[in-house]
Amino acid sequence: MMVLKWIAAFALVFLSACANVSTLQTAKTLDKGKYRVIAGAGSYGTKYSDGSGAPLPYLEGVIRYGLLNRFEGGVKWTLPYTLGLDFKLKLIDLNVPILSIGAGVNYTSFSSGSFSLSFIDLIVPAYFSLEFTQWLALYVSPKFMQRTITGSVSGSSSSASVNFFDHGYIGGGGGIRLGNTIGVFFEGSYMQGLKQKDTIIQINGALYFGDG
């Protein structure tokens, strides 16, 4: 069991940057059949209550698609380990101010020999944006996230599993979109743990192309 905890602590340092909380979207939804492709990079860090933790770089790719009018979905891949899926529903559209809600899940896994570790993030965001023109928008996204981290180790005659981490975060992100069918996002995020009081700080940017 002690070996499992040491391996888990080592893996957590490197996998944490893969479980990113980027937004990379405004409250506006893509029209049915429209798409957007996004490629970005940033710095993700978790600062734990004991003062440990450091920011780490990451890369990510996103594909978003309009499933219905006022409803879209997206798939996110954070290199090298995390796969995410989310959906967004537009509630209010007054042209300049727009309000939407969403839901998403991220999954990260790591294994080495008989040891395995997995992250699951369940995220419930809201989106508010000011779409000044087709070329300029400001957005904020308050969100709640429940993160669960489990690990297991197996041997020739026995196996053990441990729930290392299971608590919620509250916070959000915000940024600016510049461009229409081709453009950039710049944003930052801050999440505060509700139980252990650890914090997540993320700064990132991305290029995109596709339908406006």
Side-chain angles (χ1 to χ4, degrees), residues 11-57:
L12 282 172
V13 173
F14 294 97
L15 290 182
S16 290
C18 300
N20 85 74
V21 293
S22 65
T23 302
L24 296 180
Q25 57 183 301
T26 70
K28 184 179 180 180
T29 52
L30 295 169
D31 292 336
K32 182 179 179 180
K34 303 297 185 179
Y35 73 94
R36 175 171 286 165
V37 178
I38 306 168
S43 172
Y44 176 104
T46 301
K47 185 175 182 180
Y48 297 99
S49 56
D50 62 1
S52 62
L56 293 171

Side-chain angles (χ1 to χ4, degrees), residues 28 131-137 177-181 208 212:
K28 184 179 180 180
E131 307 275 341
F132 298 107
T133 71
Q134 289 183 326
W135 298 85
L136 173 63
R177 176 185 59 78
L178 299 171
N180 187 17
T181 56
Y208 73 83

Side-chain angles (χ1 to χ4, degrees), residues 26-169:
T26 70
K28 184 179 180 180
T29 52
L30 295 169
D31 292 336
K32 182 179 179 180
K34 303 297 185 179
Y35 73 94
R36 175 171 286 165
V37 178
I38 306 168
S43 172
Y44 176 104
T46 301
K47 185 175 182 180
Y48 297 99
S49 56
D50 62 1
S52 62
L56 293 171
Y58 71 91
L59 299 173
E60 65 182 324
V62 184
I63 298 176
R64 307 203 61 79
Y65 187 77
L67 299 170
L68 299 169
N69 289 331
R70 306 174 73 95
F71 184 69
E72 72 173 53
V75 177
K76 177 193 294 184
W77 183 27
T78 304
L79 296 175
Y81 295 111
T82 303
L83 183 65
L85 177 67
D86 77 279
F87 299 95
K88 181 173 64 180
L89 174 67
K90 183 167 62 178
L91 298 179
I92 300 173
D93 188 348
L94 300 178
N95 195 19
V96 175
I98 300 175
L99 176 66
S100 299
I101 58 172
V105 59
N106 296 329
Y107 177 76
T108 306
S109 65
F110 167 84
S111 62
S112 178
S114 60
F115 171 78
S116 66
L117 186 72
S118 64
F119 287 62
I120 298 177
D121 290 343
L122 300 177
I123 305 171
V124 181
Y127 304 93
F128 177 78
S129 62
L130 298 174
E131 307 275 341
F132 298 107
T133 71
Q134 289 183 326
W135 298 85
L136 173 63
L138 299 177
Y139 60 93
V140 294
S141 178
K143 61 190 70 177
F144 170 79
M145 178 176 72
Q146 184 71 29
R147 172 166 291 177
T148 302
I149 305 175
T150 58
S152 64
V153 62
S154 59
S156 58
S157 59
S158 63
S159 62
S161 62
V162 178
N163 189 343
F164 293 105
F165 195 91
D166 187 3
H167 74 267
Y169 291 83

